[in-house]
Amino acid sequence: MADLYGRKKDIQKVVYRILDTNLDRAREGLRIIEEWCRFGLNSPQLVTKFKNLRQEVAQWHHEEMKAARDTPGDTGTELSHVREEKRSSINSLLSANFCRVQEAMRVLEEYSKLYDPKMGKAFRQMRYSVYTLESDLMGFKRYQMLLQAHLYLVTSPSESLLTTVEAALKGGLALVQYRNKNAEDNVCLEQATKLRQLCHSYGALFIINDRVDLAIAIDADGVHLGQQDMPISTARHLLGTQRLIGLSTTNSQEMQDAISQGVDYIGVGPVYETPTKAGKAPVGLDYVSYVAKNALIPWFAIGGIDTNNINDVIDAGASRVAIVRAIMQAEQPTLITQYFLSQFNRIQPVYTPTHA
């Protein structure tokens, strides 16, 4: 009986050590994510959510668990992996720590059943909360990046597709849409996958034109739809709240409908005639000015915009533009990208009335 009792005590101590270690791991991971919400995203709402969850975890960190801690005798403290020694981006850092928290909570959910069944239920619920928070955070981050983007490259088929896009990214481009209406699915899948990896390595958003299925397959940041494409409600159901959805508009009614359907941004155009929208009448600068005064969500003027007319579009009220040919067919995409971006920082003239 004494041996049995001793064995139970040993097992209990092991369980306490497991709980202690994973409580620490969950709290640390949550704090790392919380710091990005605070300093990187400046989001009080997200900070509060992560702080409350971290404090809820801490309430289960009892003294008997801490007392069982044996850091010198823990063989796991000396183990590491080469992938843990470097993070390639904020995305990879956040993703790694979400995985860390979720794994820790799964361990806590199971082993706490040997300690207190109520604790197991609590951590099951918290684990699901972390999944929701991950979606909320990624959606918020993408939207913040969208707000900061002034230039949007929409690709066209090209033998130098990857080279051209990378050159534009080097010039400061932060938003790319993959558009290829005629390619086979396997070609689209291969090109889109490479472009997503390229964009994310430069910290840029990557959007798919029309194809919700392709966006999901390659984990794109969102889709851009036309008026005749899948309904926004269906696309949102398939993509979830964490991905962006844009919609093309050509008049005030389409703009209002798009906003009421909950899109994240709209395209405004074509402003000028363009072979990209062959046969479609341009909407002109009047619609650009109307949207500038009435749209409450991000929007991009698009259609035939180039270095010769970009300032007319900006003067009409546009603070964001989408470009196709002017970058895709440029001899020096990096310099052209830099030029377009520089126009949003130009000093507007101040006109002082003269008196006779």
Side-chain angles (χ1 to χ4, degrees), residues 106-299:
R106 181 59 175 166
V107 173
L108 289 165
E109 178 186 340
E110 289 300 318
Y111 278 92
S112 63
K113 295 173 183 177
L114 299 171
Y115 173 74
D116 182 346
K118 292 181 181 178
M119 184 176 177
K121 292 179 181 178
F123 274 94
R124 181 176 66 237
Q125 191 60 48
M126 279 189 270
R127 183 163 55 86
Y128 291 138
S129 296
V130 172
Y131 295 142
T132 301
L133 282 172
E134 183 175 16
S135 293
D136 290 346
L137 176 57
M138 294 310 296
F140 183 88
K141 182 175 182 293
R142 283 168 173 151
Y143 194 74
Q144 289 296 104
M145 292 173 67
L146 175 70
L147 289 175
Q148 295 167 11
H150 293 285
L151 185 63
Y152 189 171
L153 172 61
V154 180
T155 69
S156 57
S158 169
E159 292 182 0
S160 59
L161 177 64
L162 290 172
T163 303
T164 301
V165 171
E166 183 165 21
L169 290 168
K170 289 178 178 178
L173 182 70
L175 180 55
V176 175
Q177 179 189 139
Y178 174 65
R179 186 177 188 272
N180 194 331
K181 298 284 190 178
N182 300 316
E184 298 290 336
D185 281 358
N186 61 331
V187 174
C188 289
L189 183 63
E190 180 182 359
Q191 290 183 339
T193 300
K194 290 179 179 178
L195 282 173
R196 179 188 61 79
Q197 293 170 345
L198 183 62
C199 288
H200 287 183
S201 71
Y202 280 88
L205 291 169
F206 181 64
I207 305 294
I208 296 289
N209 179 268
D210 291 350
R211 297 284 301 273
V212 173
D213 58 337
L214 185 58
I216 294 172
I218 68 159
D219 193 23
D221 295 303
V223 296
H224 184 89
L225 301 174
Q227 289 291 323
Q228 305 306 315
D229 291 327
M230 178 185 296
I232 298 300
S233 58
T234 304
R236 182 64 74 192
H237 175 73
L238 294 171
L239 291 166
T241 58
Q242 74 274 23
R243 290 190 177 92
L244 301 171
I245 297 178
L247 183 66
S248 298
T249 69
T250 61
N251 56 59
S252 59
Q253 187 59 57
E254 289 179 354
M255 182 201 81
Q256 297 293 349
D257 289 346
I259 294 173
S260 67
Q261 292 175 70
V263 299
D264 296 294
Y265 73 90
I266 57 173
V268 174
V271 179
Y272 302 105
E273 287 188 13
T274 170
T276 304
K277 294 290 184 181
K280 200 162 191 175
V283 300
L285 294 174
D286 287 343
Y287 181 45
V288 173
S289 297
Y290 174 85
V291 177
K293 296 174 183 176
N294 294 279
L296 300 178
I297 63 173
W299 58 277

Side-chain angles (χ1 to χ4, degrees), residues 318-331:
S319 60
R320 301 178 183 86
V321 299
I323 305 290
V324 186
R325 289 175 299 141
I327 292 178
M328 291 302 300
Q329 297 178 12
E331 291 185 5

